[in-house]
Amino acid sequence: MEITRTHNIEDITTKIVGNEVIFGGWVEDFRKLGKMAFLTIRDVTGLAQVIVKDEMLNMIDGLNRQSVVRIIGLVQETKARDFKIEVKATKIEILSKAVYPLPIDPIGRLESDIDNRLNSRALDLRNTKTASIFKLRHYVLNSIRNSLIESKFIEINTPKIIGSASEGGANLFGLEYFGKQAYLAQSPQLYKEQMTLGLERVFEISSFYRAEKSHTGRHLSEFTSVDIEAAFMDYTDVMKVIEKLVVDVFTFTSTNCISEQEFIGNKIIIPKSPFEIITYSQALDELKKHDEEVEFGDDLLDSHLRIIGENHPGFYFLTDWPMALKPFYIHENEENPELSLSFDLQYGYLELSSGGRRLHDPEKIKSRLKEQNLDPKNFEDHLKVFDWGMPPHSGWGLGLDRLLAIITGVDNIREVVLYPRDPERLKP
Ligand code: AMO
C-alpha cells in the first residue's frame, strides 16, 4: 500500500492550479449529486474539497465518515463558497475504514458530553475545537520554555517514584517498589530545591500526582506542573518571573494562534501588568466587609476566594500568608514570624500557582517538620544537602492545566488534558 503524500492540505493553494497533488486525510463529509460527488477531506492542516466522478463513484459508495483516504488529483479553480480551490480526483484509495456509527460525532453536529468525548478521546481530537485546544497547549509549553530559558533557567527532570513525601504525608499515592514502600511524587519540591546548589536556576515541566478525592473542574489526580527554583532570589523576585511568564505566554499565543482562537471561540487578551498584590490580611478585611466570619490563620475557602475573585477579576497575587497555613519548607518573615514569605497567583477565584522563599537552615526545617508531625528521619537524604552549601532560594509551582483552562476559557480542566485521571477515571 502506497502511503506517501506530496502535499499537506494547507499547501494546496491557488498557486498550484493545474498541478497534480497526492494527499491524505479523513473523510469529513460526503455529498452525492447525480453522477458527481463532493468529498471534504481534513488533515491536521486544513480542509479540502474533492470532486469525484465516473467509475470512482463506486469506490466511495458507502464509504463511512472518518475513513482514511489517499487522493491523487488535479488542482483546479472552484465556484464553491467555502473553498478557494478544489481537487479533481484521478484516483482514490481507501487506506483505513471507519465504523458506522462512531461512538461520538467528532464534527460536533451531534453534541456529546465530556464523559463520552473522553471515552473516545482519540476520535474527539478529529474535532477542530478539541484539536485546537491541544495545539494551543503545545504553543503554551513552547512559550513557557522560551520565557524561562530567557530568564536563565535550566530545564531538569526529577524522579516521579520517590521514597518520601515531598509535600507532607497527605494525598500520597503509595506503591510497592521491589519490596519497599514508594510513592508517586506530589511535586518536584525537594529535588528542585537541591538543584539550586549546582545549577542555581532550574525548571521542570512534568506530571505529578495527588491522591485527593476531589470532584471539581480544577483538580486531577495526575496534573502537569511547571516548577521553578532559583538561588539568590527572594519571593518577590520569583513573582516577577511568573508574571513575565504569564504575559509572555498570552502575548505569544494571542498573536501566533489566530485560527486556534477562532476554532475554540475564545479571544486571548494579554493581561495588564504589574498584577495587583493583595495581602492575606487585606483579603480578610474584604471578606469581613462581606460578613464572612474569618480570623487570622483560617485558610481561605473556595467560597471566600469566589468573593475576592469577584472583587479582583483577572490575575492578582495573594501574599504574606500565615506560616501555619504553609508547608514546612516555606521561610518565615523575620520581622513578623507569624507571616510567611509566600504568595499564590490567582486568576479570579482560581489558584494558578503558589510559591515563596524557602528555609535554607536545616535546623529550622527540622523543627518545622516536627511542628507539622512529619518525621525528620524520613527527610535525611534531603536535609544533608543543606550542609553542603545550600544557597538561599525561592520558587513556585504553576498548574499548567489550570493555565490552559484560563487561556481557552473552558470551565473544566479535563477539556485541556488528553486523558485526565480523577477518582472515577482511570481508563482509557
Ligand atoms: P501546590 O500544591 O499549591 O504547591 O501546587 C502548585 C500548583 O499546582 C496546581 N495543582 C493542581 N492542578 C490540578 N489538579 C491538582 N490536584 C493540583 N494540585 C495542585 C495548582 C497549584 O497552584 N511545591 C509547591 C509549589 C512551590 O512552592 O514551588 C506546590 O506543589 O495550580
Side-chain angles (χ1 to χ4, degrees):
M1 188 191 275
E2 275 275 1
I3 61 165
T4 53
R5 47 190 180 182
T6 58
H7 288 76
N8 290 322
I9 287 176
E10 69 179 354
D11 299 322
I12 305 175
T13 64
T14 49
K15 283 190 197 139
I16 56 164
V17 166
N19 290 16
E20 185 185 82
V21 289
I22 307 175
F23 67 102
W26 287 257
V27 177
E28 185 154 307
D29 208 358
F30 179 92
R31 274 171 303 130
K32 212 167 171 187
L33 293 171
K35 293 207 150 118
M36 221 159 87
F38 295 94
L39 282 182
T40 31
I41 307 293
R42 187 181 288 284
D43 73 6
V44 76
T45 68
L47 205 58
Q49 169 156 285
V50 178
I51 310 279
V52 184
K53 280 185 183 160
D54 309 325
E55 73 277 9
M56 271 177 301
L57 281 173
N58 299 333
M59 274 191 74
I60 58 167
D61 210 19
L63 184 65
N64 294 330
R65 291 194 172 88
Q66 299 304 332
S67 293
V68 183
V69 293
R70 180 171 180 262
I71 289 167
I72 305 179
L74 294 173
V75 183
Q76 61 184 33
E77 276 160 6
T78 179
K79 294 197 186 85
R81 227 179 337 127
D82 300 335
F83 295 93
K84 293 205 174 81
I85 53 94
E86 62 194 15
V87 176
K88 185 167 168 259
T90 52
K91 190 172 178 194
I92 298 181
E93 294 162 307
I94 299 164
L95 305 185
S96 174
K97 280 187 179 160
V99 297
Y100 179 84
L102 289 163
I104 56 167
D105 172 18
I107 307 313
R109 283 190 195 127
L110 298 172
E111 282 257 337
S112 302
D113 65 21
I114 177 122
D115 267 325
N116 283 325
R117 289 199 288 110
L118 291 175
N119 290 341
S120 309
R121 195 49 141 169
L123 188 57
D124 186 36
L125 266 287
R126 298 231 45 80
N127 180 292
T128 45
K129 179 176 176 182
T130 312
S132 297
I133 288 176
F134 288 95
K135 287 184 196 172
L136 200 64
R137 189 173 165 114
H138 155 76
Y139 288 113
V140 166
L141 280 165
N142 189 26
S143 60
I144 288 175
R145 286 203 163 87
N146 287 342
S147 179
L148 291 174
I149 290 167
E150 215 171 80
S151 302
K152 304 266 185 273
F153 285 82
I154 293 171
E155 185 162 4
I156 58 168
N157 305 103
T158 63
K160 304 296 163 284
I161 303 175
I162 57 172
S164 62
S166 40
E167 298 288 333
N171 308 332
L172 265 177
F173 281 113
L175 63 118
E176 200 255 9
Y177 187 77
F178 304 118
K180 294 193 192 83
Q181 175 68 48
Y183 307 96
L184 291 179
Q186 301 151 304
S187 81
Q189 186 63 37
L190 310 185
Y191 294 106
K192 67 175 180 170
E193 284 193 50
Q194 294 180 20
M195 286 306 103
T196 62
L197 186 150
L199 298 171
E200 294 198 16
R201 291 185 192 182
V202 293
F203 76 100
E204 175 161 22
I205 305 176
S206 192
S207 300
F208 289 96
Y209 303 88
R210 306 272 169 110
E212 301 173 87
K213 281 238 155 126
S214 296
H215 294 91
T216 74
R218 57 187 192 284
H219 291 94
L220 292 175
S221 322
E222 180 178 61
F223 70 103
T224 305
S225 182
V226 179
D227 278 88
I228 74 152
E229 205 61 37
F232 301 105
M233 279 195 174
D234 209 336
Y235 76 121
T236 46
D237 299 315
V238 291
M239 283 163 66
K240 289 194 188 112
V241 175
I242 201 168
E243 184 167 320
K244 174 186 173 320
L245 178 143
V246 169
V247 173
D248 283 351
V249 167
F250 275 69
T251 307
F252 183 85
T253 51
S254 71
T255 48
N256 291 290
C257 304
I258 305 296
S259 65
E260 286 79 8
Q261 292 176 69
E262 277 165 16
F263 284 128
I264 294 167
N266 189 55
K267 191 163 166 41
I268 300 171
I269 314 271
I270 304 167
K272 285 203 181 68
S273 62
F275 298 163
E276 195 180 358
I277 297 176
I278 304 160
T279 64
Y280 168 86
S281 299
Q282 283 168 337
L284 290 193
D285 291 342
E286 279 186 27
L287 291 171
K288 282 177 186 153
K289 280 189 197 137
H290 279 80
D291 299 325
E292 295 290 322
E293 286 180 19
V294 276
E295 298 303 329
F296 183 88
D298 292 345
D299 206 353
L300 300 185
L301 306 174
D302 186 52
S303 56
H304 298 143
L305 291 170
R306 292 206 183 243
I307 294 172
I308 298 165
E310 274 198 10
N311 292 348
H312 308 272
F315 291 102
Y316 61 95
F317 288 108
L318 264 179
T319 62
D320 302 87
W321 289 77
M323 273 304 269
L325 294 177
K326 285 289 154 185
F328 66 88
Y329 46 79
I330 288 285
H331 204 296
E332 82 284 5
N333 180 335
E334 278 153 351
E335 281 158 25
N336 181 354
E338 281 207 321
L339 293 182
S340 63
L341 302 177
S342 70
F343 70 91
D344 282 0
L345 175 61
Q346 295 283 135
Y347 181 78
Y349 78 93
L350 185 67
E351 178 199 312
L352 181 61
S353 169
S354 63
R357 168 96 170 263
R358 323 300 190 182
L359 292 171
H360 67 283
D361 172 348
E363 291 313 312
K364 273 193 184 170
I365 301 175
K366 275 182 213 156
S367 64
R368 283 282 289 161
L369 281 168
K370 283 183 204 147
E371 265 171 51
Q372 301 201 352
N373 293 322
L374 294 165
D375 186 352
K377 270 214 183 80
N378 292 335
F379 292 83
E380 267 170 1
D381 285 335
H382 180 56
L383 288 167
K384 69 185 181 201
V385 179
F386 285 71
D387 293 329
W388 299 342
M390 183 59 105
H393 56 282
S394 300
W396 44 254
L398 172 153
L400 177 75
D401 314 310
R402 292 187 184 180
L403 178 64
L404 251 299
I406 296 168
I407 292 179
T408 55
V410 300
D411 292 332
N412 189 337
I413 57 173
R414 288 163 186 75
E415 296 279 0
V416 302
V417 175
L418 280 176
Y419 292 98
R421 295 288 177 251
D422 63 32
E424 263 54 68
R425 189 169 275 284
L426 183 58
K427 288 180 179 175

